[in-house]
Structures are given as C-alpha cells and as structure tokens.
Amino acid sequence: VRAGILASVPGAQGGFRLARPPARITLMDVVAAVEGPDEAFRCTEIRQRGAGAEAPAREFAHPCGVAAAMRRAELAWRRELAAQTVADLMDAAPANAPDRARRHYERLRG
C-alpha cells in the first residue's frame, strides 16, 4: 500500500486491490516494495583489510572486478524486471489456469 501498488478496501468484504492498472505496475515496482530499494550486493571492500590494508588509497579508487560484475548483473536484473508488468504475467497465464487463480487476478484489477 505504501508503495502505491495496492489499495486497501475497508469493510467485511474488504481486502486489497491493485492501486494502478496492471499494465502500470512493473515487477521491479513489486520487488522494490517488498525488498526495498537497496541493491542486492553490498561491497564491503575486503581489499582494504588484511594484506591489502597497507596499499595506497589510489588502488581502491575503482571497484574491484567482483563489485563491477555484481553491479552489471544487478542492473541487468533490474532492467528485466522493469520491462515486465503485472499485466504481462496475467496475459501469460495459461488458458487452463484454475478458475480460482483467474478470478483472483480479476478481483485484484478492481
């Protein structure tokens, strides 16, 4: 609800519904609402501890290969999720999906 994805419906038959059309809610919106906006990988700069602690600061001006690779993977993952919407998932549901699941999606649409 705080992320603007769901709206609360009060009352005995209340619950939640989508706050926006399914085509305007990306999977990245959902992930950010559940997991938060922070990146999945957090570099702790282990290069600057232990044997690397005595290296000059200029050696740490750029991220290490692991951090750079993780950043590229994170960006690709986020782009892919941002390119897919809840409507895409609904459209991709198999025609023989249980009626209960289809009714649930329709109820979320509002």
Side-chain angles (χ1 to χ4, degrees):
V1 172
R2 280 182 278 212
I5 294 172
L6 296 175
S8 174
V9 179
Q13 297 296 317
F16 295 94
R17 65 171 175 76
L18 294 178
R20 302 189 306 250
R24 294 194 48 229
I25 301 170
T26 69
L27 298 187
M28 190 64 235
D29 293 335
V30 175
V31 168
V34 173
E35 300 291 332
D38 296 337
E39 295 181 2
F41 176 77
R42 291 176 191 87
C43 180
T44 59
E45 272 299 341
I46 61 171
R47 301 179 299 170
Q48 295 183 31
R49 295 193 295 268
E54 296 176 16
R58 69 179 177 274
E59 289 191 22
F60 307 113
H62 299 288
C64 70
V66 171
M70 294 301 287
R71 177 72 180 143
R72 285 190 307 273
E74 175 89 19
L75 291 173
W77 177 72
R78 287 176 177 265
R79 273 192 301 271
E80 183 65 25
L81 291 176
Q84 293 184 45
T85 66
V86 171
D88 295 334
L89 292 180
M90 294 167 74
D91 292 342
N96 63 351
D99 287 338
R100 180 177 168 211
R102 290 206 171 276
R103 284 193 310 271
H104 178 70
Y105 278 131
E106 291 305 319
R107 200 168 36 251
L108 283 175
R109 284 186 179 193

